Amino acid sequence: MRIPLSWLREYAQVPADATAEDVMAELVKVGLEEEAVHRPMDALQGPIVVGQVLSLVKEPQSNGKTINWCQVRVVPEGQQQTLEGDGIDPSGVQGIVCGAHNFEVGDKVVVTLPGAVLPGDFRISPRKTYGHVSAGMIASVRELGIGEDHDGILVLSTLGLDPELGTDALALLGLYDEAAEINVTPDRSYCFSIRGVAREYAHATGTDFTDPAAGVRVAAASTPGYPVRIQDDAPIYGKPGADRFVARTVRGVDAGAPTPPWLSARLRLAGIRSISLPVDISNYVMLELGQPLHFYDQDKLSGDIVVRRAQPGETLRTLDDKVRTLDPEDLLITDGTGPIGIAGVMGGASTEVSSATSTILIEAAHFEEVSIARSRRRHKLPSEASKRFERGVDWHVADEAAQRAVDLLVELAGGTAEDTATDVGTAPAPVVIALPAEFPAQRVGIDFTAEQIRGTLADIGAEVSTDDGGYKVRVPSWRQDLELPEDLTEEIARLVGYDKIPSTLPVAPPGRGLSRAQQQRRRVLQALADSGLVEVLAYPFATKAANDTFGAADAESGAGQIRLANPLSEEHGYLRTSILPGLLEVARRNHGRGFRDLALYEAGLVFLPEGPMGTSTLPPLGVRPAEDVLDSLYQGLPAQPLHIGAVLTGKDSPAAPYHTPRAWDWADAVNLATLVGDVLGVEVVVSQGSHQAFHPGRTAQLSLRGGELVGFAGELHPKLLAGMDLPARMAAMELNADVLFEAAADVIVARPISTFPVATQDVALVVAADVSSEDVREALREGAGELLEDVSLFDVYDGAGIQQGSKSLAFGLRFRAPDRTLTAEEASSAREAAVALAATRFGAVQR
């Protein structure tokens, strides 16, 4: 919300020399957030004055362009120029070259004299052009920074102005004003108006506040006005979509009259573009009082106005000239022809006010927040009106806002107000809160006096009475956020001053620290970071194709997917079933920016639907659902296990003298997976695997000793990488961390280190080519018994001397006893037992 200071001074006692920064500093004291300062004079510098065109000579140029050589008087007739500077003529008449053609002799214009500075640091000085010395410039709206029109220069008569020559144009156009911009939180909707901000400024400074609504005298109606009915047959959550509709009529309006500079200047500073006088008046009243208005061309209306819900198949052409298909939840303004507006969001084109309009019907209504918010989101139509309605508008200010608009249309557009009025609806019951006397002190820690409590609540507009040792507080109609004693306590603390609350360090409650799963997660993530990887956070959204590819090992076993109802993009419209698509997108983005060597990892949830999703009905708002309802909601959620993934591409280290970096490969991905298992104390079994997203011959399946699958590691499929515009070779791994956490022991007990020497023996076994080396290794481990400390594969050979269809696997075996030095016979006996079991299971033959 932008607050022009000249406007704020009308209703709050802002010092004449106060700046926007000063105002924001005061508003911060009462909980508002400062955003920015808007000061036109930061980009402008005079002299910029009113001039009158004395003569105009059109001179065609060789480039096909025609320029105007103008003589412009910038001081009153008969007076000499008092300004001095290079290029400023003492006679008060400036010679200026102008390329615009929308003015004529006698027009009064804005002249930027030599020495002036325009937005963009455009400095005005005398310069020779088109055979003349042009000493100044006749300015357009865009050159002055007050609009976007650059088709011609600003002719002051189009604004209804006839100022004296030499008048300071900056003051004339309201450019000395400035605005403070604040951020208004959703619970402070009343601050979306000068009325609300002025009240808060008065709270902050302890000065008087003048309510602009109180200064409006609503004329008594002699007869009912335009007929209006509210017929909401399908209220959302039982609350009618509209509970008040005020309508007033003004005839004989000159809708094409110019908007006065003071009004357009305030709107511009408030961030709203000037469009036409009627539209500007409706926006002005909305900013001043916080009540959105809508103006209809009454001559275009047909029959009674009816506020109702949309019917199936209805459409509406809105003011932005788009035809919108309406939803049965949409609250509409209709007449005898059908819909003429989406209530509180945007009006229809059929009843739009134009320059030919002479009779205006003013609408000042009160709409229910949820209805407006849903229509705004559904049709993607954010507007200043909907922003206020969906946060809450003061029910009681509608008639004052309508009267204020009537007064401005009469004053500025020459209209005549009818002495009729329409006001239908039922006022909501006032909110009354019981506040125990000791409650604020108990919640805040300050012993507030009775005077502080009563005075603060009276300042915000509440009516306070004593009730059984406490207070009965009737909340003001513009404070829909006040519902509980806690809300009132917050207001008391806010206005007395947050700085008055003592700083007391709370005593931490006893606890057990991090949970087991939290500790495990932290250990794993730290280990990956210690290994040189960089943690990233990718969006949890994926394409359907990515989920199909990464979410299942093969196309036939693809799992279900969860489609988002309102995705950020249609392409990424699904919740991810794998962590790798997001990691690859991060890698692709970095690779495209020149980062070729990457080692990235992420830990995050994936979403795996199992069985029916969601529930058939939604529980009502305002009450806590029963336990069985909560259980059904939880049962309708997808499984969300924690996955850990990593991608590796490029080199493992930067090149340096005497050091040759190594390219990441599938073994590094496998090592990262086993590292995760080592950190958790879980053995991750690596075996030959197959996954459609991975290279057919370089894929490892990762499982627990009991056979439960926990993930895959290896090199990604070259065709997949080519389709994603990634390097031809990339390694990756993904693990189901929840399964690993569950398999980990509560306490990892370190095994004692034997002080006796190790006995090593090697064995080479010939097996069929399709036999997994991991299965053979497991057989050797099992057959060797307790004396075997470790067994590792160090060679695979299928060359000369090996029968076709077979391969030779060479293993190194380490034997050690905890209590003695092993003899050669003991080690050999254990080796023979291991070979025998491998021969029994796989037909292994020792070479």
Side-chain angles (χ1 to χ4, degrees):
M1 176 70 186
R2 297 184 186 182
I3 308 103
L5 264 58
S6 64
W7 205 349
L8 183 64
R9 287 189 176 99
E10 293 186 7
Y11 307 112
Q13 296 181 4
V14 182
D17 59 349
T19 64
E21 290 87 350
D22 298 331
V23 170
M24 289 193 297
E26 296 294 345
L27 294 176
V28 166
K29 295 178 182 178
V30 288
L32 295 171
E33 300 174 7
E34 58 184 0
E35 285 289 324
V37 170
H38 301 273
R39 188 179 290 118
M41 288 306 297
D42 286 346
L44 285 168
Q45 178 180 310
I48 301 176
V49 300
V50 174
Q52 186 174 34
V53 180
L54 300 180
S55 66
L56 182 155
V57 178
K58 296 185 180 296
E59 298 181 354
Q61 304 297 312
S62 58
N63 60 5
K65 182 178 181 181
T66 299
I67 61 97
N68 298 313
W69 172 238
C70 305
Q71 297 297 312
V72 183
R73 178 175 292 282
V74 294
V75 297
E77 180 73 31
Q79 296 185 17
Q80 291 293 309
Q81 179 63 270
T82 58
L83 299 175
E84 296 180 353
D86 182 25
I88 298 180
D89 197 305
S91 69
V93 178
Q94 301 289 128
I96 299 175
V97 173
C98 183
H101 300 284
N102 67 318
F103 64 102
E104 57 189 25
V105 173
D107 282 343
K108 291 185 177 180
V109 294
V110 175
V111 180
T112 58
L113 296 174
V117 180
L118 296 180
D121 197 30
F122 182 57
R123 297 179 179 273
I124 306 300
S125 61
R127 60 189 182 93
K128 189 171 183 179
T129 180
Y130 296 111
H132 301 280
V133 175
S134 182
M137 187 175 76
I138 304 175
S140 70
V141 169
R142 191 167 74 180
E143 288 163 342
L144 292 170
I146 60 176
E148 294 301 320
D149 185 10
H150 196 54
D151 294 335
I153 57 96
L154 173 60
V155 178
L156 293 175
S157 61
T158 63
L159 302 181
L161 298 175
D162 185 21
E164 183 181 37
L165 299 186
T167 299
D168 185 350
L170 298 175
L172 182 70
L173 299 175
L175 295 175
Y176 287 120
D177 201 0
E178 57 187 293
E181 184 175 359
I182 59 172
N183 177 42
V184 179
T185 53
D187 61 324
R188 308 278 290 276
S189 60
Y190 63 95
C191 285
F192 276 118
S193 66
I194 299 296
R195 180 194 189 201
V197 175
R199 189 187 301 275
E200 289 300 310
Y201 184 87
H203 293 332
T205 57
T207 55
D208 292 336
F209 160 70
T210 302
D211 190 349
V216 178
R217 295 292 176 261
V218 179
S222 60
T223 57
Y226 200 93
V228 175
R229 301 195 310 274
I230 298 175
Q231 296 180 351
D232 187 0
D233 298 328
I236 298 177
Y237 301 127
K239 294 185 67 175
D243 55 9
R244 191 179 192 187
F245 197 110
V246 174
R248 297 288 301 277
T249 298
V250 181
R251 298 188 181 276
V253 170
D254 180 6
T259 299
W262 64 267
L263 195 153
S264 60
R266 284 185 173 180
L267 290 179
R268 183 175 61 252
L269 264 182
I272 294 181
R273 179 171 58 93
S274 177
I275 298 175
S276 67
L277 180 58
V279 174
D280 292 348
I281 288 174
S282 68
N283 285 330
Y284 187 86
V285 174
M286 176 187 67
L287 291 175
E288 186 171 73
L289 299 178
Q291 169 68 56
L293 303 177
H294 187 72
F295 288 1
Y296 301 92
D297 185 332
Q298 185 167 315
D299 294 332
K300 297 178 182 178
L301 293 173
S302 175
D304 296 359
I305 287 179
V306 179
V307 184
R308 61 170 175 82
R309 299 288 171 176
Q311 298 172 359
E314 281 191 302
T315 61
L316 170 67
R317 183 180 295 276
T318 46
L319 289 173
D320 56 1
D321 203 33
K322 293 182 179 179
V323 177
R324 303 182 184 275
T325 301
L326 302 173
D327 186 272
E329 270 196 354
D330 288 331
L331 187 69
L332 303 181
I333 310 299
T334 68
D335 68 356
T337 64
I340 58 173
I342 303 175
V345 178
M346 184 173 284
S350 63
T351 57
E352 180 180 9
V353 173
S354 68
S355 58
T357 298
S358 62
T359 303
I360 290 178
L361 180 71
I362 301 169
E363 168 205 300
H366 187 269
F367 300 118
E368 189 266 332
E369 295 86 349
V370 174
S371 292
I372 305 307
R374 290 189 178 182
S375 290
R376 189 264 301 170
R377 286 194 292 266
R378 183 180 301 114
H379 297 288
K380 296 180 174 62
L381 271 177
S383 65
E384 291 293 329
S386 65
K387 179 167 67 177
R388 287 162 174 78
F389 277 127
E390 65 185 66
R391 289 167 171 81
V393 171
D394 183 4
W395 190 95
H396 292 280
V397 82
D399 50 349
E400 283 92 348
Q403 182 65 52
R404 178 72 163 135
V406 168
D407 295 342
L408 289 173
L409 284 172
V410 170
E411 176 187 352
L412 303 178
T416 302
E418 284 194 353
D419 60 356
T420 62
T422 300
D423 190 350
V424 297
T426 303
V431 176
V432 178
I433 303 173
L435 179 68
E438 69 283 357
F439 191 88
Q442 292 173 346
R443 291 297 183 272
V444 180
I446 299 177
D447 291 329
F448 296 106
T449 65
E451 290 74 15
Q452 284 179 315
I453 294 175
R454 295 178 65 95
T456 300
L457 295 177
D459 285 344
I460 67 173
E463 297 178 10
V464 186
S465 59
T466 305
D467 179 56
D468 192 23
Y471 306 96
K472 184 175 290 185
V473 182
R474 179 169 175 162
V475 175
S477 58
W478 58 87
R479 292 300 302 270
Q480 294 92 342
D481 58 310
L482 303 181
E483 299 177 342
L484 304 169
E486 287 82 358
D487 299 328
L488 297 178
T489 299
E490 183 180 357
E491 288 298 292
I492 295 169
R494 181 174 70 89
L495 297 185
V496 169
Y498 290 132
D499 57 325
K500 303 295 193 302
I501 301 176
S503 298
T504 304
L505 186 65
V507 178
R512 299 182 180 180
L514 298 176
S515 68
R516 177 173 178 266
Q518 289 171 329
Q519 292 174 347
Q520 291 170 323
R521 173 176 174 149
R522 289 196 178 189
R523 288 204 305 270
V524 169
L525 299 186
Q526 187 60 52
L528 292 173
D530 293 343
S531 299
L533 278 73
V534 176
E535 186 176 10
V536 298
L537 182 63
Y539 284 112
F541 313 125
T543 64
K544 185 177 188 303
N547 278 343
D548 288 338
T549 302
F550 289 93
D554 54 74
E556 288 73 24
S557 61
Q561 301 187 36
I562 301 174
R563 181 172 177 81
L564 297 169
N566 188 23
L568 293 178
S569 73
E570 289 300 327
E571 182 182 8
H572 294 78
Y574 295 83
L575 290 174
R576 66 187 177 191
T577 58
S578 166
I579 209 83
L580 290 180
L583 274 173
L584 290 176
E585 180 61 28
V586 174
R588 186 189 65 80
R589 189 179 303 112
N590 280 273
H591 197 270
R593 286 161 173 75
F595 297 98
R596 308 297 186 190
D597 304 325
L598 298 170
L600 310 174
Y601 75 99
E602 180 184 6
L605 302 180
V606 298
F607 305 87
L608 308 176
E610 299 173 354
M613 298 295 299
T615 57
S616 58
T617 60
L618 289 175
L621 297 179
V623 294
R624 175 182 170 82
E627 291 301 322
D628 59 330
V629 175
L630 289 175
D631 290 341
S632 67
L633 292 174
Y634 286 125
Q635 290 169 4
L637 295 176
Q640 301 175 47
L642 177 70
H643 277 209
I644 296 175
V647 295
L648 311 168
T649 181
K651 307 293 185 181
D652 67 343
S653 56
Y658 310 108
H659 170 69
T660 302
R662 181 182 61 83
W664 295 108
D665 60 19
W666 64 269
D668 296 299
V670 173
N671 289 339
L672 288 175
T674 56
L675 170 66
V676 172
D678 291 342
V679 169
L680 297 173
V682 177
E683 183 181 1
V684 176
V685 178
V686 181
S687 60
Q688 182 68 42
S690 174
H691 193 291
Q692 58 182 339
F694 285 80
H695 191 292
R698 299 169 188 163
T699 305
Q701 178 176 291
L702 310 171
S703 55
L704 301 179
R705 177 61 58 189
E708 186 174 0
L709 180 68
V710 293
F712 291 89
E715 285 192 15
L716 293 171
H717 201 293
K719 289 185 177 180
L720 174 70
L721 296 174
M724 298 183 68
D725 197 23
L726 285 166
R729 297 190 68 176
M730 288 186 70
M733 73 89 180
E734 182 169 8
L735 295 168
N736 187 328
D738 283 353
V739 174
L740 292 173
F741 292 167
E742 185 65 28
D746 290 337
V747 178
I748 300 175
V749 180
R751 293 185 301 174
I753 299 175
S754 174
T755 58
F756 294 94
V758 65
T760 61
Q761 294 197 20
D762 297 337
V763 60
L765 302 176
V766 177
V767 296
D770 60 351
V771 174
S772 168
S773 61
E774 176 61 28
D775 292 340
V776 177
R777 190 173 79 96
E778 183 60 27
L780 292 175
R781 179 191 297 275
E782 185 179 341
E786 295 181 354
L787 295 179
L788 182 67
E789 185 177 77
D790 182 58
V791 55
S792 60
L793 175 72
F794 65 84
D795 185 48
V796 178
Y797 177 71
D798 58 0
I802 301 298
Q803 185 179 355
Q804 188 172 1
S806 300
K807 61 184 177 182
S808 173
L809 304 176
F811 294 91
L813 288 76
R814 293 167 53 92
F815 298 98
R816 195 193 313 255
D819 56 353
R820 67 187 187 283
T821 300
L822 289 177
T823 64
E825 292 77 11
E826 287 177 307
S828 296
S829 176
R831 180 177 67 88
E832 294 302 327
V835 171
L837 184 57
T840 300
R841 288 186 178 176
F842 307 109
V845 177
Q846 186 173 353
R847 291 179 63 190

